[in-house]
Amino acid sequence: MVGRKIIHVDMDAFYASVEQRDRPHLKGVPVIVGGPPHARGVVATCSYEARKYGIHSAMPSRRAFQLCPRAVFLRPRFEVYRAVSAQIMELFLEVTPLVEPLSLDEAYLDVTENNLQMTSATHIAQYILAEIKRRTGLTASAGVSNSKLVAKIASGHQKPNGLTVLPPDAVLPFLSGLKIGDLHGVGKVTEQTLRKHGFNTVADIQQSPIAELRGLLGRDRGTELYTMAHGEDERMVRPHRERKSIGSESTFEEDTEDIDTIFETLKREALSVVKTLNQKELVCRTVTIKWKTEDFQSRSKRYTFLEETADEETLLRVTTKLFNEIEFSGPIRLIGMSVSHLEAPPLSKQLTWQDIDSYL
């Protein structure tokens, strides 16, 4: 689908940038938005000043403090971020009805046909970035290409406040210079497997027979990686993304405080969910565990990945992590686990933000 014009817009250090905008004295200062430094919590995002110290999203706040003790730690103000995000999404919809939000701070736009009646996707992207700055006082980065896959990679190429345009004839040369791990969706295990067999760059994948990749990774994953390395991605920009979930839960015959019993039950339900997830050939982005107290009060805790997954080990590890963070204060009636933000295995995208509501 060479004729498509896709833009991926990604706000720059969104939460932290909003805080620096609203508190001018924090400009130029390492700012960390997330959990407090001396308690359990994680980094939601951080300013570019903080990133120079090696701090990144999803890092434990205590570790971030160790790396940069002079950083300013702020609790998230999600109501403010949502309001700013609404402003930005309104702008996107003024440009085209084909907007697919991925989170509060990023979205795909199909501008092949657009309300601005402009033929240049580059000019549209420039207009969007300028309007974001004018309306919100914030900066964003954008990637322009003929597919979602390449546009997303491009948007991260010149952050912050950057614009990278990759017309069809520039896609293969651009991708060839990337490391394997730069392809969205290539996790550590896949990367290690490929490196073990001499694949270090995307160019190595481009120059290899597809049969070799299928032999290393399996037919489906090998084919997917081959097409990704060649910039092939026919996924459409979907304005209305269907939200689905898969879950399983158990109610105890009698309320219990036995931690081992509760955990083993949760593990069994989690394995059932993972089995269903794989049977349906889906990947998920969010894991939620839910429990009910003896007085029928429902509680939950969730974790959102930076990369979609259906890996059993990963999902069980996160389920266990969430369980270990619960402070039960009495008998439990019910325990369960669910996964949400489901999709068919994509040619891949990653989040640039960490949903940590439940941690704070």
Side-chain angles (χ1 to χ4, degrees):
M1 304 183 72
V2 175
R4 291 193 302 167
K5 299 175 182 178
I6 308 296
I7 301 175
H8 179 262
V9 181
D10 189 7
M11 299 301 294
D12 297 324
F14 184 47
Y15 298 172
S17 294
V18 171
E19 297 299 342
Q20 289 179 317
R21 179 199 69 177
D22 293 350
R23 312 180 199 200
H25 66 283
L26 294 180
K27 290 183 178 179
V29 174
V31 172
I32 296 172
V33 179
H38 302 300
R40 177 179 291 148
V42 296
V43 175
T45 193
C46 60
S47 67
Y48 286 94
E49 294 86 356
R51 296 182 189 192
K52 294 177 182 178
Y53 292 85
I55 299 169
H56 56 76
S57 298
M59 172 181 285
S61 297
R62 289 179 177 176
R63 176 58 179 159
F65 178 76
Q66 291 173 349
L67 292 173
C68 186
R70 73 184 188 91
V72 176
F73 284 76
L74 301 172
R75 285 186 172 275
R77 296 184 297 154
F78 288 108
E79 70 285 353
V80 176
Y81 310 146
R82 292 188 184 103
V84 177
S85 177
Q87 283 184 275
I88 297 165
M89 295 303 166
E90 181 179 5
L91 165 62
F92 293 164
L93 290 170
E94 291 174 10
V95 174
T96 174
L98 298 179
V99 177
E100 181 180 339
L102 301 179
S103 63
L104 292 180
D105 65 345
E106 65 172 319
Y108 291 113
L109 294 80
D110 187 330
V111 297
T112 310
E113 296 180 3
N114 58 84
N115 299 332
L116 301 180
Q117 302 298 311
M118 297 173 67
T119 57
S120 169
T122 301
H123 291 162
I124 295 172
Q126 291 171 335
Y127 167 80
I128 290 171
L129 297 183
E131 280 296 291
I132 288 174
K133 179 67 174 178
R134 184 181 72 81
R135 298 185 190 190
T136 70
L138 305 172
T139 64
S141 297
V144 180
S145 195
N146 63 338
S147 72
K148 292 167 72 173
L149 168 70
V150 179
K152 183 170 177 66
I153 295 175
S155 69
H157 186 58
Q158 299 186 74
K159 271 186 163 291
N161 197 24
L163 172 60
T164 301
V165 180
L166 295 173
D169 59 356
V171 170
L172 282 179
F174 174 81
L175 292 177
S176 68
L178 300 179
K179 297 177 181 178
I180 292 173
D182 293 334
L183 285 178
H184 296 136
V186 176
K188 292 182 179 179
V189 174
T190 299
E191 185 177 1
Q192 289 172 357
T193 299
L194 291 169
R195 289 190 181 281
K196 190 184 301 182
H197 290 84
F199 293 88
N200 295 299
T201 67
V202 175
D204 295 331
I205 300 174
Q206 291 174 345
Q207 295 163 12
S208 68
I210 191 172
E212 183 177 357
L213 294 170
R214 287 172 173 170
L216 288 174
L217 304 174
R219 181 178 180 82
D220 292 343
R221 186 59 176 146
T223 300
E224 181 186 47
L225 187 63
Y226 183 86
T227 56
M228 287 171 60
H230 287 80
E232 299 172 12
D233 177 12
E234 296 191 358
R235 290 176 301 150
M236 306 298 291
V237 172
R238 295 179 293 157
H240 304 290
R241 304 176 74 225
E242 184 179 0
R243 289 196 169 190
K244 310 172 185 176
S245 66
I246 297 172
S248 184
E249 60 189 37
S250 285
T251 300
F252 298 109
E253 292 185 7
E254 295 182 4
D255 298 354
T256 180
E257 293 184 270
D258 187 324
I259 295 299
D260 291 338
T261 298
I262 298 171
F263 177 72
E264 287 303 317
T265 303
L266 175 62
K267 184 177 179 181
R268 184 176 66 246
E269 300 307 316
L271 287 171
S272 175
V273 169
V274 174
K275 181 179 179 180
T276 302
L277 186 69
N278 283 284
Q279 286 175 340
K280 293 181 177 293
E281 298 183 345
L282 296 171
V283 290
C284 71
R285 211 173 69 211
T286 300
V287 172
T288 302
I289 61 173
K290 168 189 173 184
W291 66 98
K292 280 188 179 180
T293 60
E294 60 181 342
D295 57 351
F296 295 91
Q297 295 296 311
S298 292
R299 301 284 187 269
S300 64
K301 187 175 282 289
R302 73 175 183 265
Y303 182 92
T304 296
F305 295 98
L306 299 177
E307 176 181 332
E308 295 99 337
T309 184
D311 179 68
E312 179 179 296
E313 181 181 5
T314 299
L315 293 171
L316 288 178
R317 184 174 66 249
V318 169
T319 299
T320 302
K321 168 183 167 62
L322 292 173
F323 180 83
N324 288 337
E325 292 173 353
I326 300 173
E327 294 182 4
F328 295 113
S329 57
I332 299 300
R333 294 182 54 84
L334 171 151
I335 191 80
M337 178 266 208
S338 65
V339 293
S340 57
H341 297 135
L342 308 184
E343 294 187 9
L347 285 171
S348 249
K349 59 182 183 295
Q350 295 178 333
L351 294 177
T352 58
W353 64 289
Q354 183 73 19
D355 180 356
I356 61 161
D357 263 313
S358 60
Y359 288 87
L360 305 174

